[in-house]
Amino acid sequence: MSDSLWVVIPAAGMGLRANLPYPKQFALVHGKSILEWTVSRVLSIPEVSGVVVSLPAAEHMVGLPVGRTEIEAMGQASRPVLTVTGGQTRQESVGIALGSVPREAAWIGVHDGARPCFTRELFLQVFSSAKVFGAAICGLTPSDTIKTKKVVPGQDVFPGSPGGSLVDTTLSRETLISVQTPQIFAAHVLRKAYQLAAQGRMPSTDDSQLVERLGHAVVCVPGERRNIKVTYPEDFVWAECVLGDRESDSGTYEVSTATGLGFDVHRLVQGRKCILGGVEIRSEKGLDGHSDADVVAHSVMDAILGGLAMGDIGLWFP
């Protein structure tokens, strides 16, 4: 069987949980959108023959820092990047994108547009496993205890809050997988899974679930902690840290160094506590200020913020 691999990148969602005025995949990190980072990292894998990206409808892309033309320009004649308008759900978006994957492609991978922090090593491990089993995903054993819940509509489970949920049962972490992407499948298997899902109107948030419904085995290789899907505002901090480092092919990093300098000045006055570094010092005088006037803590905070190029304490706590 040919090793021709095409990758579908669903990126048509609105990403409402990120609390941005535009889809999260277009947020800039170190001068490039999350989606551009994802596409470029997929294209950096020589085994990838081409990419199809599903994008939001045109009216949702007005004024964004990157558009359809810029995304397509990331490809080459020999390894193109194609774009399509996605659907209302992730499943619809992938299904539409599959129509643009060449019929001669032997393998089709699916990778989230908002998951830019994966390594080449992980991608190739999934691909190697797919070649053996026909379908492969990656994922992690949850570090948290996972429980199922029972929704109790209309019942005051929490004071002052109508409705709620109660614990149903506790699951064994050893049998659970927190699924990531990339997911890679034999092309005919994934196409058949999506075809049957469309006919039976079977919703799913995961491509491998549709393949499972065919009765086809799906193997899971260990995922990566760094391979998060950027979903919430705090996830952008992690993405900035990972994408700001220079990654080698071996998966190690050359971490950049930043230096910050901070200072603070308050006059000593009678009748105030003297607090330095969070410790109250026995003294007849203390530092005058609107807060605890802790010059040590405030200087450290200014130094940290300066090293991160995030202003100073007055900006964050005016």
Side-chain angles (χ1 to χ4, degrees), residues 12 26-27 29 34 38 58 100 114 145 150 202 211 215 294 307 310:
F26 296 100
V29 175
I34 291 287
T38 301
S100 294
T145 297
K150 294 184 291 187
M202 297 181 292
V211 172
D294 186 338
M310 295 177 63

Side-chain angles (χ1 to χ4, degrees), residues 272-286:
R272 286 273 300 184
K273 292 181 179 180
C274 183
I275 299 176
L276 296 174
V279 178
E280 184 174 344
I281 308 297
R282 293 181 61 182
S283 172
E284 295 180 355
K285 295 183 178 181

